[in-house]
Amino acid sequence: MSDGHRGAGLATLGLLAVTAIWGSTFALIKGVVGRMPVADFLAVRFAMAAIAMVLLFALPLRRLGRVSLLRGLALGVLYGLAQWLQTEGLARTSPSVSGFVTGMYVVITPILSLLIFRQRMPWTTWLAVLLATLGLGVLALSGFSVDAGVLLTLASAALYALHIVGLGHWSKPGDAFGMSAIQMVGIAAVCLLITLPHGGPTLPPDAAAWISVLYMALVAGAFAMLVQTWAQAHMPATRAAIVMTTEPVFAAGFAVLLGVDVLTPRMLGGGALVLAAMYMVELAPRFRRRKPAEALHHEV
C-alpha cells in the first residue's frame, strides 16, 4: 500500500472516530441544555476548548503564516455560526428533522466544491451522496414541514458544508495543530459574542454538568477539531462529508446501548444506507484503473 493510500485510510478511521465521539454527545447535550441556556453552554464549551488548544499548541500557532491564520479564523467563524444557527433551528423544530436537515451538508458539499474550486466528482460519488441522503431520511424522518426552524437548520448545513470544503482545500498535515487551534478561537469568539446581549455566559450549574461540558469541550471539541483538520488534509471534501454522515448512525447506536431508545427497522435500514455510501466512496477508487483528480487531492 502506498503512503498516500495509507494516509487516506488512517484519515477515514480518524474521521469515523470523530463522528463516533460526536454521536456520543447527543444525550449529554440534552441533559446539560435542560439546566443552562443553550448559548451559554456553547460559549463555555468552546471557550474552554480554545484555551486548552492555544496553551497546548502555542508554538504551532505562532508558526502559522498570516494567510493561514486568517483562513483558520474564518473557518472557525463559519463553524461557530453554523453551531449557533443549528441550535436556534433545533429550538423551533423536532430533533429528527434537525438531524436530517443538518445532514444535507452531504449534498451541499460537492456542489460547493464544484462551484468554488471546480472539483468534479465521479458518478460513484454522486451515487454515494444520494444513498447517504436517503439513509439520513430513513433514519431521522417521520414527518416533515418547512418552517423557520428548518430554514435556520438548512442555513447551518450550508455553513458546515462551506467549512468542510474550505478545510479540505486549505488544511495541510503539518499545520493541523495550529489550524485546529485558530479555528477553535474563531468558534469561541462567535459563541461568546452571542451571549453578550444577556450579559455573558453563565457557568454550568452542578458537578455533573461540568463533567459533561469538560468532555464536550476537550474530547468532542478540541480533540475532534484536531483530528478533523488533520484528516481533511488527506481526503477530498465530499468524501469527508459522506464519512461524517455516520454521526446519526453512531448517535442512534449510543441511544440504544444506553437504553434511551430501542432498535427499530428504520435505524437498521437508514444506518445500512449511510454505511453503504461510506463504503462506496472508500472502495470505488480502488476498483478504477485511474483515480480521479478529486481522489488525488491533498494525499501525501
Side-chain angles (χ1 to χ4, degrees), residues 196-233:
L196 290 183
H198 63 264
T202 57
L203 297 178
D206 51 52
W210 269 111
I211 292 172
S212 296
V213 171
L214 279 170
Y215 171 76
M216 285 180 280
L218 301 180
V219 180
F223 176 74
M225 178 59 72
L226 173 60
V227 175
Q228 183 188 357
T229 300
W230 175 84
Q232 284 205 240

Short mmCIF file of all heavy atoms in Angstrom, two decimals, residues 196-233:
data_model
loop_
_atom_site.label_atom_id
_atom_site.label_comp_id
_atom_site.label_asym_id
_atom_site.label_seq_id
_atom_site.Cartn_x
_atom_site.Cartn_y
_atom_site.Cartn_z
N LEU A 196 -23.45 38.03 24.72
CA LEU A 196 -23.28 39.39 25.23
C LEU A 196 -24.60 40.13 25.48
O LEU A 196 -24.69 40.89 26.46
CB LEU A 196 -22.40 40.20 24.28
CG LEU A 196 -20.92 39.80 24.23
CD1 LEU A 196 -20.15 40.74 23.31
CD2 LEU A 196 -20.31 39.79 25.62
N PRO A 197 -25.63 39.95 24.63
CA PRO A 197 -26.87 40.68 24.91
C PRO A 197 -27.47 40.41 26.28
O PRO A 197 -28.17 41.28 26.82
CB PRO A 197 -27.81 40.19 23.79
CG PRO A 197 -26.89 39.87 22.66
CD PRO A 197 -25.68 39.28 23.33
N HIS A 198 -27.23 39.24 26.86
CA HIS A 198 -27.75 38.99 28.22
C HIS A 198 -26.63 38.95 29.27
O HIS A 198 -26.76 38.32 30.31
CB HIS A 198 -28.61 37.73 28.28
CG HIS A 198 -27.87 36.45 27.96
ND1 HIS A 198 -27.88 35.87 26.71
CD2 HIS A 198 -27.14 35.63 28.75
CE1 HIS A 198 -27.17 34.76 26.74
NE2 HIS A 198 -26.71 34.58 27.96
N GLY A 199 -25.53 39.66 28.98
CA GLY A 199 -24.50 39.86 29.99
C GLY A 199 -23.40 38.84 30.04
O GLY A 199 -22.64 38.80 31.01
N GLY A 200 -23.26 37.99 29.02
CA GLY A 200 -22.21 36.98 29.01
C GLY A 200 -22.70 35.63 29.51
O GLY A 200 -23.81 35.52 30.04
N PRO A 201 -21.88 34.60 29.35
CA PRO A 201 -22.33 33.26 29.69
C PRO A 201 -22.38 32.98 31.19
O PRO A 201 -21.55 33.48 31.95
CB PRO A 201 -21.27 32.36 29.03
CG PRO A 201 -20.03 33.20 29.01
CD PRO A 201 -20.51 34.61 28.80
N THR A 202 -23.36 32.19 31.58
CA THR A 202 -23.40 31.64 32.94
C THR A 202 -22.68 30.30 32.94
O THR A 202 -22.60 29.62 31.91
CB THR A 202 -24.85 31.45 33.42
OG1 THR A 202 -25.54 30.59 32.48
CG2 THR A 202 -25.58 32.78 33.48
N LEU A 203 -22.16 29.90 34.08
CA LEU A 203 -21.39 28.66 34.19
C LEU A 203 -22.31 27.47 34.43
O LEU A 203 -23.45 27.64 34.86
CB LEU A 203 -20.37 28.79 35.32
CG LEU A 203 -19.31 29.88 35.14
CD1 LEU A 203 -18.40 29.93 36.36
CD2 LEU A 203 -18.50 29.67 33.86
N PRO A 204 -21.82 26.26 34.14
CA PRO A 204 -22.63 25.05 34.42
C PRO A 204 -23.09 25.03 35.87
O PRO A 204 -22.34 25.40 36.78
CB PRO A 204 -21.66 23.91 34.11
CG PRO A 204 -20.73 24.48 33.09
CD PRO A 204 -20.54 25.92 33.48
N PRO A 205 -24.32 24.55 36.12
CA PRO A 205 -24.92 24.68 37.45
C PRO A 205 -24.46 23.67 38.49
O PRO A 205 -24.63 23.89 39.69
CB PRO A 205 -26.42 24.52 37.17
CG PRO A 205 -26.46 23.64 35.95
CD PRO A 205 -25.27 24.02 35.14
N ASP A 206 -23.89 22.53 38.06
CA ASP A 206 -23.54 21.49 39.04
C ASP A 206 -22.37 20.66 38.50
O ASP A 206 -21.92 20.83 37.37
CB ASP A 206 -24.75 20.61 39.35
CG ASP A 206 -25.43 20.08 38.10
OD1 ASP A 206 -24.74 19.51 37.24
OD2 ASP A 206 -26.67 20.24 37.98
N ALA A 207 -21.91 19.74 39.36
CA ALA A 207 -20.74 18.93 39.01
C ALA A 207 -20.99 18.06 37.78
O ALA A 207 -20.11 17.90 36.92
CB ALA A 207 -20.33 18.06 40.20
N ALA A 208 -22.18 17.46 37.71
CA ALA A 208 -22.50 16.61 36.56
C ALA A 208 -22.46 17.40 35.26
O ALA A 208 -21.94 16.92 34.24
CB ALA A 208 -23.87 15.97 36.75
N ALA A 209 -22.98 18.61 35.29
CA ALA A 209 -22.95 19.45 34.10
C ALA A 209 -21.52 19.83 33.73
O ALA A 209 -21.16 19.86 32.56
CB ALA A 209 -23.80 20.71 34.31
N TRP A 210 -20.68 20.13 34.75
CA TRP A 210 -19.29 20.45 34.50
C TRP A 210 -18.56 19.29 33.82
O TRP A 210 -17.78 19.49 32.88
CB TRP A 210 -18.58 20.82 35.80
CG TRP A 210 -18.61 22.28 36.12
CD1 TRP A 210 -19.29 22.88 37.13
CD2 TRP A 210 -17.92 23.33 35.43
NE1 TRP A 210 -19.09 24.24 37.11
CE2 TRP A 210 -18.24 24.55 36.08
CE3 TRP A 210 -17.06 23.37 34.33
CZ2 TRP A 210 -17.74 25.78 35.66
CZ3 TRP A 210 -16.56 24.60 33.92
CH2 TRP A 210 -16.90 25.78 34.57
N ILE A 211 -18.80 18.07 34.29
CA ILE A 211 -18.16 16.90 33.70
C ILE A 211 -18.56 16.75 32.23
O ILE A 211 -17.72 16.48 31.35
CB ILE A 211 -18.52 15.63 34.50
CG1 ILE A 211 -17.87 15.69 35.89
CG2 ILE A 211 -18.06 14.38 33.75
CD1 ILE A 211 -18.32 14.58 36.82
N SER A 212 -19.85 16.92 31.96
CA SER A 212 -20.33 16.81 30.58
C SER A 212 -19.72 17.89 29.70
O SER A 212 -19.28 17.62 28.57
CB SER A 212 -21.87 16.92 30.55
OG SER A 212 -22.47 15.85 31.22
N VAL A 213 -19.67 19.12 30.20
CA VAL A 213 -19.12 20.23 29.42
C VAL A 213 -17.62 20.02 29.18
O VAL A 213 -17.12 20.29 28.08
CB VAL A 213 -19.39 21.57 30.11
CG1 VAL A 213 -18.63 22.71 29.41
CG2 VAL A 213 -20.88 21.88 30.12
N LEU A 214 -16.92 19.53 30.19
CA LEU A 214 -15.49 19.25 30.02
C LEU A 214 -15.25 18.21 28.93
O LEU A 214 -14.35 18.35 28.09
CB LEU A 214 -14.88 18.78 31.34
CG LEU A 214 -14.50 19.87 32.34
CD1 LEU A 214 -14.16 19.24 33.69
CD2 LEU A 214 -13.32 20.69 31.82
N TYR A 215 -16.04 17.14 28.93
CA TYR A 215 -15.92 16.10 27.91
C TYR A 215 -16.18 16.68 26.53
O TYR A 215 -15.43 16.42 25.57
CB TYR A 215 -16.89 14.96 28.19
CG TYR A 215 -16.99 13.94 27.08
CD1 TYR A 215 -15.99 12.99 26.88
CD2 TYR A 215 -18.09 13.93 26.21
CE1 TYR A 215 -16.07 12.06 25.85
CE2 TYR A 215 -18.18 13.01 25.18
CZ TYR A 215 -17.17 12.08 25.01
OH TYR A 215 -17.25 11.16 23.98
N MET A 216 -17.24 17.48 26.42
CA MET A 216 -17.60 18.03 25.11
C MET A 216 -16.62 19.11 24.67
O MET A 216 -16.43 19.33 23.48
CB MET A 216 -19.03 18.54 25.14
CG MET A 216 -20.05 17.40 25.10
SD MET A 216 -21.77 17.94 25.12
CE MET A 216 -21.98 18.27 26.87
N ALA A 217 -15.98 19.80 25.62
CA ALA A 217 -15.00 20.82 25.27
C ALA A 217 -13.68 20.20 24.83
O ALA A 217 -13.12 20.58 23.79
CB ALA A 217 -14.77 21.75 26.45
N LEU A 218 -13.18 19.25 25.62
CA LEU A 218 -11.84 18.72 25.38
C LEU A 218 -11.81 17.55 24.40
O LEU A 218 -10.91 17.46 23.56
CB LEU A 218 -11.20 18.31 26.71
CG LEU A 218 -11.08 19.43 27.74
CD1 LEU A 218 -10.43 18.91 29.02
CD2 LEU A 218 -10.30 20.62 27.19
N VAL A 219 -12.80 16.66 24.49
CA VAL A 219 -12.80 15.48 23.62
C VAL A 219 -13.60 15.73 22.35
O VAL A 219 -13.08 15.61 21.23
CB VAL A 219 -13.36 14.25 24.38
CG1 VAL A 219 -13.37 13.02 23.46
CG2 VAL A 219 -12.55 13.98 25.63
N ALA A 220 -14.88 16.10 22.51
CA ALA A 220 -15.74 16.33 21.34
C ALA A 220 -15.47 17.69 20.70
O ALA A 220 -15.95 17.95 19.59
CB ALA A 220 -17.21 16.23 21.75
N GLY A 221 -14.71 18.55 21.37
CA GLY A 221 -14.39 19.86 20.82
C GLY A 221 -12.96 19.94 20.33
O GLY A 221 -12.69 19.84 19.12
N ALA A 222 -12.01 20.08 21.25
CA ALA A 222 -10.61 20.28 20.87
C ALA A 222 -10.03 19.08 20.13
O ALA A 222 -9.46 19.22 19.04
CB ALA A 222 -9.78 20.57 22.13
N PHE A 223 -10.15 17.89 20.71
CA PHE A 223 -9.59 16.69 20.08
C PHE A 223 -10.25 16.42 18.73
O PHE A 223 -9.57 16.12 17.73
CB PHE A 223 -9.75 15.49 21.00
CG PHE A 223 -9.29 14.19 20.39
CD1 PHE A 223 -7.95 13.91 20.24
CD2 PHE A 223 -10.22 13.25 19.94
CE1 PHE A 223 -7.52 12.72 19.67
CE2 PHE A 223 -9.81 12.06 19.37
CZ PHE A 223 -8.46 11.79 19.24
N ALA A 224 -11.57 16.54 18.67
CA ALA A 224 -12.29 16.26 17.43
C ALA A 224 -11.89 17.25 16.33
O ALA A 224 -11.71 16.86 15.17
CB ALA A 224 -13.80 16.31 17.66
N MET A 225 -11.74 18.52 16.67
CA MET A 225 -11.34 19.51 15.67
C MET A 225 -9.93 19.23 15.15
O MET A 225 -9.65 19.36 13.95
CB MET A 225 -11.41 20.92 16.26
CG MET A 225 -10.96 22.02 15.32
SD MET A 225 -11.91 22.09 13.76
CE MET A 225 -13.47 22.75 14.38
N LEU A 226 -9.04 18.82 16.03
CA LEU A 226 -7.68 18.49 15.63
C LEU A 226 -7.67 17.33 14.65
O LEU A 226 -7.03 17.39 13.59
CB LEU A 226 -6.84 18.14 16.86
CG LEU A 226 -5.42 17.62 16.60
CD1 LEU A 226 -4.61 18.65 15.84
CD2 LEU A 226 -4.75 17.24 17.91
N VAL A 227 -8.41 16.26 14.97
CA VAL A 227 -8.44 15.08 14.10
C VAL A 227 -9.10 15.41 12.77
O VAL A 227 -8.63 15.00 11.70
CB VAL A 227 -9.16 13.91 14.79
CG1 VAL A 227 -9.31 12.73 13.84
CG2 VAL A 227 -8.40 13.47 16.04
N GLN A 228 -10.21 16.17 12.80
CA GLN A 228 -10.88 16.54 11.55
C GLN A 228 -9.97 17.36 10.66
O GLN A 228 -9.90 17.14 9.45
CB GLN A 228 -12.18 17.30 11.83
CG GLN A 228 -12.94 17.65 10.55
CD GLN A 228 -14.12 18.58 10.78
OE1 GLN A 228 -14.43 18.94 11.91
NE2 GLN A 228 -14.79 18.97 9.70
N THR A 229 -9.26 18.32 11.25
CA THR A 229 -8.36 19.17 10.46
C THR A 229 -7.26 18.34 9.81
O THR A 229 -6.93 18.52 8.64
CB THR A 229 -7.74 20.26 11.36
OG1 THR A 229 -8.80 21.06 11.91
CG2 THR A 229 -6.81 21.16 10.56
N TRP A 230 -6.67 17.41 10.59
CA TRP A 230 -5.62 16.54 10.04
C TRP A 230 -6.21 15.62 8.97
O TRP A 230 -5.62 15.45 7.89
CB TRP A 230 -4.98 15.71 11.15
CG TRP A 230 -3.99 14.72 10.62
CD1 TRP A 230 -2.68 14.95 10.32
CD2 TRP A 230 -4.25 13.35 10.29
NE1 TRP A 230 -2.11 13.80 9.83
CE2 TRP A 230 -3.04 12.81 9.80
CE3 TRP A 230 -5.38 12.53 10.37
CZ2 TRP A 230 -2.94 11.48 9.38
CZ3 TRP A 230 -5.28 11.22 9.95
CH2 TRP A 230 -4.07 10.70 9.47
N ALA A 231 -7.37 15.02 9.24
CA ALA A 231 -7.95 14.06 8.31
C ALA A 231 -8.30 14.71 6.98
O ALA A 231 -8.08 14.12 5.91
CB ALA A 231 -9.21 13.42 8.92
N GLN A 232 -8.81 15.94 7.02
CA GLN A 232 -9.21 16.58 5.77
C GLN A 232 -8.03 17.07 4.94
O GLN A 232 -8.21 17.49 3.80
CB GLN A 232 -10.19 17.72 6.05
CG GLN A 232 -11.59 17.21 6.37
CD GLN A 232 -12.64 18.24 6.05
OE1 GLN A 232 -13.37 18.67 6.93
NE2 GLN A 232 -12.73 18.65 4.79
N ALA A 233 -6.85 17.00 5.49
CA ALA A 233 -5.66 17.25 4.70
C ALA A 233 -5.30 16.04 3.85
O ALA A 233 -4.42 16.12 2.99
CB ALA A 233 -4.48 17.61 5.60
#
